[in-house]
């Protein structure tokens, strides 16, 4: 499912403003970098990747040791017992490998989800660039026509 992001929304996300004093010429790479840094969708997917990383690290941790206290009543017998379960089956290695794969899958899903938005941004940038070129061409043509009318008048 792809979402259609209008050009105005992209401009609002990126905070693109043109002022008369200091116009900034945006390159396509700068726009894409700002989109990835400031887009709510990109921030959400980056957060999902970080959550998946944290969950995978939490699953691959050795369990905490346990301490118990016991007291028997027939003969006065009381003792503390400390124990720790150490995995010797290699299960933690499998959990770490599975966590790494889950993080890679989430990262790939992030890239797949952001790809259509990046594509739409690139298309909007190319349309804007073409429109600016056309405006510059029409402005130059207008000046030529004004010069010819001044000469002929």
């Amino acid at each position: 499912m792809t979402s259609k992001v209008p050009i105005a929304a992209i401009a609002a996300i990126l905070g693109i403003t043109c002022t008369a004093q200091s116009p900034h010429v945006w390159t396509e790479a700068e726009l894409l970098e700002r989109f990835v840094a400031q887009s709510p969708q990109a921030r959400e997917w980056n957060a999902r990747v970080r959550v998946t990383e944290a969950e995978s690290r939490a699953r691959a941790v050795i369990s905490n040791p346990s301490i118990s206290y016991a007291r028997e009543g027939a003969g006065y017998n009381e003792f503390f017992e400390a124990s720790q379960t150490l995995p010797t089956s290699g299960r933690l290695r499998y959990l770490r490998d599975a966590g790494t794969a889950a993080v890679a899958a989430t990262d790939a899903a992030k890239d797949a989800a952001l790809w259509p938005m990046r594509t739409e941004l690139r298309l909007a940038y190319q349309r804007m660039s073409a429109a600016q070129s056309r405006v510059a061409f029409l402005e130059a043509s207008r000046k030529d026509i004004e010069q010819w009318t001044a000469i002929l008048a």
Side-chain angles (χ1 to χ4, degrees):
M1 178 177 154
T2 61
S3 63
K4 298 294 180 189
V5 180
I7 296 172
I10 292 172
I13 288 171
L14 298 176
I16 300 172
T17 58
C18 294
T19 61
Q21 289 91 9
S22 61
H24 179 74
V25 178
W26 294 92
T27 64
E28 185 177 356
E30 288 175 331
L31 287 176
L32 287 172
E33 181 181 324
R34 287 189 65 164
F35 172 75
V36 170
Q38 296 178 358
S39 168
Q41 294 90 352
R43 285 186 288 166
E44 175 195 0
W45 276 102
N46 288 332
R48 285 184 188 186
V49 170
R50 287 192 304 270
V51 165
T52 305
E53 287 173 348
E55 287 175 351
S56 68
R57 280 194 309 266
R59 273 188 244 122
V61 173
I62 297 174
S63 63
N64 290 333
S66 64
I67 297 176
S68 61
Y69 170 74
R71 180 176 176 182
E72 296 178 4
Y76 186 70
N77 191 6
E78 91 185 308
F79 55 92
F80 288 98
E81 179 183 5
S83 64
Q84 166 126 26
T85 306
L86 298 174
T88 57
S89 64
R91 185 176 71 96
L92 286 180
R93 180 175 53 89
Y94 295 135
L95 285 174
R96 285 187 188 111
D97 292 345
T100 303
V103 170
T106 306
D107 197 32
K110 174 190 82 165
D111 291 340
L114 293 179
W115 188 262
M117 290 180 242
R118 286 185 185 132
T119 303
E120 290 176 20
L121 180 62
R122 282 188 173 122
L123 286 171
Y125 178 81
Q126 294 302 325
R127 286 186 193 123
M128 181 191 66
S129 179
Q132 287 175 344
S133 297
R134 183 176 169 98
V135 165
F137 175 75
L138 291 174
E139 185 67 28
S141 298
R142 185 187 61 82
K143 286 181 182 178
D144 287 342
I145 291 173
E146 286 177 357
Q147 287 177 352
W148 282 104
T149 55
I151 291 172
L152 294 175

